[in-house]
Amino acid sequence: MVRPLTPVLQKIAIDELHEDPERVAADIEALKTWISQQPHLRARTDDQFLLAFLRGCKFSLEKAKSKIDRYYMLRSKFPELFSLRDVKNPHIEEIIKLGIGLVLPTPLNETGPRILLIRNGCYDPSKYNFADIMRVAQACNEILMWEDDYAIVNGFVHIMDLKGWTKEHFFQVTPSLMKKMTVYSEEAMPLRPKASHAINAPSIFESVFNMLKPMMSKKQVDRMVIYGSNIEKMYEKIPLKYLPKEYGGENGSIPEIIDTWHKKFLEYSDYFAEDAKYGTDEQLRPGKPVDFDNLFGMEGSFRKLNVD
């Protein structure tokens, strides 16, 4: 009931993710049994879905259980950030068509990590809320969990293009929001980030990045490289050919990628609507309740900071 990997990806899954093809079915069944025994958890049990968590956790059953639990817990607790229901909502469709987050068609080095281009400054912060943008981004990640073996097995690299990014964009990302994003990325999602490259960073960004560090994990901080306008240095890690045509590369064009993903979102409209029936009921959770205050720590915003 699962999609076979290409020989190249299968070897990587065995060597780096500890995948044993003869045990995959048994591991999936173990997760299904565990889910059925959790009174607080309503989770999908599709083989391909559960396999994404196993691969994302390098086939540690206990880590996969924890991520599945966190995945549904955070989506239930913060649906405004992590749960997209209606992809045909005109406002959501506008965000999709802006192409803020682009999944480039060819992975790095042809068979490596998936490349995600995030155009942080290409939207009007007075018109679009960052929380809605996050919901669209997480829905995109969920589609990748189902369809993209390169992203599941090899993870992904981010390229953040900060052209047009302003302090108004920055003010939308509060410390509380950054902390939620960090916890969701690391404790709930089975897709593994490998590196983040920030290009066209304005002079203020490094100062802003230093302010954000306390809300980020050490892994996130260590993965980040800031290039400013000298993006040629990035080509040592991500050769130019793997960027879109608008950036001088050969990896699709932005309008084509946007159109492809708009159609893909529409194909998943029933799936996302159905997703409303999954989640957690914290009142039924066995043992101690989740301490959300301790999990997310600092609240507040940066609005008082002088970033002129």
Side-chain angles (χ1 to χ4, degrees):
M1 297 297 293
V2 298
R3 182 175 56 249
L5 294 175
T6 66
V8 170
L9 287 180
Q10 185 65 78
K11 186 176 187 309
I12 294 170
I14 292 170
D15 293 345
E16 299 183 14
L17 306 183
H18 315 302
E19 180 169 322
D20 180 349
E22 295 185 1
R23 280 200 50 82
V24 165
D27 288 340
I28 291 173
E29 285 304 313
L31 286 182
K32 290 181 181 180
T33 299
W34 173 79
I35 289 169
S36 72
Q37 295 170 343
Q38 307 310 304
H40 68 293
L41 178 62
R42 303 178 307 280
R44 291 185 181 273
T45 55
D46 308 74
D47 289 4
Q48 196 71 51
F49 181 78
L50 297 179
L51 182 55
F53 281 90
L54 286 167
R55 286 174 172 156
C57 297
K58 297 187 176 182
F59 280 83
S60 165
L61 278 171
E62 293 311 306
K63 287 183 180 178
K65 292 174 186 177
S66 177
K67 281 212 170 189
I68 292 169
D69 191 12
R70 282 281 199 262
Y71 177 82
Y72 283 109
M73 178 190 76
L74 294 177
R75 287 159 66 88
S76 296
K77 180 70 173 176
F78 306 110
E80 71 280 5
L81 285 177
F82 305 125
S83 295
L84 183 64
R85 300 288 185 241
D86 183 8
V87 300
K88 295 180 181 178
N89 177 296
H91 186 69
I92 295 299
E93 282 203 88
E94 284 180 21
I95 292 174
I96 293 170
K97 291 178 180 179
L98 285 172
I100 300 167
L102 301 172
V103 181
L104 304 191
T106 302
L108 185 61
N109 301 323
E110 311 300 323
T111 59
R114 180 61 65 188
I115 304 169
L116 304 184
L117 173 61
I118 315 298
R119 302 191 298 158
N120 301 63
C122 79
Y123 71 95
D124 181 349
S126 69
K127 185 176 180 181
Y128 299 101
N129 186 294
F130 189 73
D132 288 337
I133 292 167
M134 277 297 302
R135 284 197 297 148
V136 171
Q138 296 309 325
C140 176
N141 285 339
E142 186 161 3
I143 294 173
L144 292 177
M145 284 167 50
W146 279 95
E147 295 192 0
D148 193 337
D149 292 325
Y150 292 104
I152 294 166
V153 173
N154 287 324
F156 57 87
V157 294
H158 278 130
I159 302 173
M160 298 193 305
D161 186 352
L162 293 159
K163 183 179 180 181
W165 186 87
T166 67
K167 63 182 180 181
E168 284 72 27
H169 292 93
F170 165 65
F171 282 141
Q172 289 192 340
V173 187
T174 65
S176 173
L177 181 55
M178 176 58 71
K179 186 64 176 177
K180 292 181 178 73
M181 290 164 54
T182 295
V183 172
Y184 187 80
S185 172
E186 298 207 335
E187 298 188 20
M189 286 299 294
L191 300 178
R192 296 173 296 119
K194 294 295 187 71
S196 293
H197 304 272
I199 62 174
N200 296 319
S203 57
I204 187 180
F205 182 73
E206 195 149 0
S207 298
V208 168
F209 180 58
N210 288 332
M211 295 174 192
L212 292 173
K213 281 182 181 180
M215 276 62 71
M216 301 170 67
S217 70
K218 185 178 185 302
K219 282 184 179 179
Q220 285 180 313
V221 172
D222 290 345
R223 291 185 189 118
M224 176 70 74
V225 183
I226 303 171
Y227 296 95
S229 59
N230 182 25
I231 67 173
E232 288 78 10
K233 290 280 292 180
M234 187 184 69
Y235 300 157
E236 298 172 10
K237 301 289 185 181
I238 302 177
L240 178 61
K241 65 177 287 189
Y242 293 105
L243 298 184
K245 293 176 182 176
E246 290 81 356
Y247 288 73
E250 305 169 14
N251 206 353
S253 72
I254 289 174
E256 290 170 349
I257 296 168
I258 290 173
D259 183 60
T260 296
W261 274 88
H262 178 229
K263 291 175 181 175
K264 192 173 291 291
F265 270 103
L266 294 178
E267 290 170 6
Y268 272 78
S269 59
D270 290 342
Y271 170 89
F272 287 124
E274 181 193 43
D275 230 28
K277 69 183 183 182
Y278 300 107
T280 62
D281 183 342
E282 294 305 312
Q283 292 183 332
L284 299 178
R285 180 181 291 277
K288 293 182 178 179
V290 176
D291 184 350
F292 286 101
D293 289 338
N294 184 59
L295 181 62
F296 295 109
M298 181 187 306
E299 294 290 327
S301 77
F302 286 138
R303 195 161 295 279
K304 293 181 181 180
L305 294 176
N306 180 5
V307 292
D308 291 324

